[in-house]
Amino acid sequence: MIEADVAVVGAGAAGLSLAHRLSGHVTGTRTPTVVLVNAPAGPLRPPPRTWCFWESGGGPFDAAVRKDWRRLRVRPPAGPPIEDAIAPLRYKMIRSDDFETLIGHDLERSPNVRRVEAIVRSVDETPGGARVRMFLPDGRRATLGARWVFDSRPLGSLPAARTTLLQHFHGWFVRTSRPVFDVATADLMDFRTPQPADGLSFGYVLPTGRHEALVEYTEFSPRLRTATGYDEAVRHYVDDVLRLGDTEIVATETGVIPMTDAPIPRRVGASVFRIGAAGGATRPSTGYTFAGLQRQTRAVAAALRQGRTPVPPAAHSARARAMDAVLLRALDSGRVDGPALFSRLFARVPMRRLLCFLDGRTSLLEDLSIGLHTPVGPMLRSAAELPGLPRRPFD
């Protein structure tokens, strides 16, 4: 039996961030004992991933930032690209292994955080707390008792929703034989890709050098592609759209992010909570999660240190989630053309303001002014029908 004040299950971005915020002593506050449970190396531990977010100037995780950009570009299906500076914001790229190394060094020196490798088989409520039952790497069973448990593992299934799309992508880290990339600018959306029958697609280019970049093909649609289909899509984008020439594939990454208007519960027991993507930190309209989970874990850590009940807050406001529900419905119903909608928004609204909007840091008046640059009729029709739509499980 292991005992702690706080158990954090899962050592992805959310679990590491919460453990990091709880590590060490802060004058005038409580110092909880923390156990961070991570899956052993194997199929339950995800491969390295890329996380992107934006913030003003420097930030607490800059030592793990692989590259940042102060200009962004969007390419419509036809016509000239849309490019804009985003100062004082910076669009930042972190690789998960760099983040784990950075946070891991701090946790190793922490007097109140312990790390355990184990496969969690259940989280069970008990009077005044919870028990995390797990298998250690050598096969032995172990139990972790805690007053509070924060579970960041992926959900087994999505809650019922009126609309659920999938953001699914496949990317290549490439090295080219000639200097082809503009290292000062990231391509956020390139709609010159072939569009699927139901949904939308775009390319995404994060250059880290004149010869190096992460190049991804992304779809918002109800269904996944085959492995061969993703490779063909990226190859077409690299060869026929970007025309990169001789290219070496250094590494690859693949991901699926649910884009859903389903309410995702953050409290699942008297002492058990979900955080990160499992706790609704993903912005439904974009798939960005890193900034949302930082807001969540910051609030949870503050509550624990102050002796309050540490219910994770919603990572996104009710207004933001309502607008996202309308957008998802408009895209899923086919009422709006996705590439045209996003290209129009980026052409008519400064990119810095759009990024603030996507991060929930704009006023109601600013939100309304941005909404006027969308197809108002189809969006209003989508909003009007939402209350009458049933919520259904995602197949």
Side-chain angles (χ1 to χ4, degrees):
M1 172 71 77
I2 306 168
E3 294 286 349
D5 297 320
V6 175
V8 181
V9 179
L16 285 169
S17 296
L18 180 56
H20 182 251
R21 293 183 185 280
L22 291 173
S23 65
H25 303 294
V26 177
T27 302
T29 68
R30 301 183 179 190
T31 303
T33 55
V34 181
V35 173
L36 174 64
V37 183
N38 191 23
L44 293 180
R45 185 179 292 187
R49 298 88 79 203
T50 302
W51 300 321
C52 289
F53 62 103
W54 50 90
E55 62 184 350
S56 296
F61 308 121
D62 278 358
V65 170
R66 186 74 60 95
K67 185 76 172 69
D68 66 38
W69 299 268
R70 304 185 191 193
R71 296 188 66 83
L72 297 179
R73 183 166 46 223
V74 170
R75 297 182 183 272
I82 304 153
E83 189 174 324
D84 197 5
I86 59 172
L89 300 178
R90 298 180 186 179
Y91 190 83
K92 299 184 176 184
M93 168 189 179
I94 286 182
R95 289 287 286 163
S96 60
D97 45 359
D98 295 333
F99 186 74
E100 291 164 11
T101 299
L102 175 68
I103 301 301
H105 286 327
D106 286 345
L107 295 183
E108 286 175 6
R109 299 190 296 268
S110 174
N112 64 308
V113 178
R114 175 182 175 185
R115 302 185 70 169
V116 172
E117 282 198 350
I119 297 173
V120 172
R121 56 192 181 94
S122 68
V123 178
D124 305 315
E125 290 274 353
T126 61
R131 292 281 183 266
V132 180
R133 306 187 190 280
M134 45 196 188
F135 291 106
L136 300 178
D138 61 7
R140 289 180 299 139
R141 296 189 179 197
T143 301
L144 165 60
R147 175 65 184 91
W148 307 109
V149 176
F150 297 89
D151 194 344
S152 66
R153 294 173 300 167
L155 296 175
S157 60
L158 293 175
R162 293 167 298 197
T163 309
T164 298
L165 295 175
L166 299 175
Q167 179 180 157
H168 46 115
F169 55 88
H170 185 62
W172 293 349
F173 290 86
V174 300
R175 183 178 294 118
T176 61
S177 60
R178 57 191 178 90
V180 295
F181 296 113
D182 173 9
V183 295
T185 306
D187 282 280
L188 199 62
M189 288 178 144
D190 184 346
F191 291 110
R192 296 175 296 171
T193 53
Q195 296 301 310
D198 50 352
L200 64 95
S201 74
F202 56 89
Y204 181 53
V205 182
L206 300 181
T208 55
R210 293 284 289 153
H211 294 261
E212 298 85 26
L214 168 60
V215 180
E216 286 190 353
Y217 171 85
T218 301
E219 277 192 20
F220 295 176
S221 63
R223 288 174 293 279
L224 302 179
R225 282 176 168 253
T226 63
T228 302
Y230 288 115
D231 278 329
E232 290 174 349
V234 182
R235 174 58 66 191
H236 175 269
Y237 184 55
V238 165
D239 290 348
D240 301 333
V241 178
L242 297 179
R243 300 180 184 275
L244 298 183
D246 292 337
T247 303
E248 176 190 359
I249 302 171
V250 178
T252 65
E253 70 172 22
T254 301
V256 181
I257 302 171
M259 305 172 68
T260 176
D261 67 356
I264 298 178
R266 301 181 301 281
R267 187 169 195 168
V268 293
S271 299
V272 182
F273 309 94
R274 291 194 181 117
I275 57 172
T282 301
R283 181 76 194 257
S285 61
T286 66
Y288 286 101
T289 306
F290 193 83
L293 69 84
Q294 294 305 328
R295 289 191 289 270
Q296 256 188 1
T297 56
R298 186 183 303 117
V300 167
L304 286 165
R305 289 190 180 275
Q306 294 162 14
R308 296 183 282 110
T309 302
V311 180
H316 309 286
S317 70
R319 186 169 82 236
R321 296 195 303 273
M323 291 187 293
D324 287 353
V326 173
L327 175 62
L328 291 177
R329 178 59 186 166
L331 291 173
D332 191 43
S333 64
R335 290 194 187 101
V336 300
D337 178 278
L341 166 67
F342 288 110
S343 298
R344 180 174 174 176
L345 277 175
F346 280 101
R348 299 188 179 188
V349 181
M351 287 194 185
R352 183 188 64 79
R353 185 182 301 172
L354 269 181
L355 291 180
C356 290
F357 168 75
L358 294 176
D359 216 19
R361 293 188 285 113
T362 45
S363 66
L364 175 60
L365 185 60
E366 288 174 313
D367 291 349
L368 292 173
S369 68
I370 291 172
L372 292 175
H373 294 294
T374 67
V376 175
M379 298 296 275
L380 287 176
R381 182 180 171 189
S382 298
E385 74 177 6
L386 277 175
L389 293 177
R391 294 188 181 274
R392 295 190 176 92
F394 182 71
D395 296 328

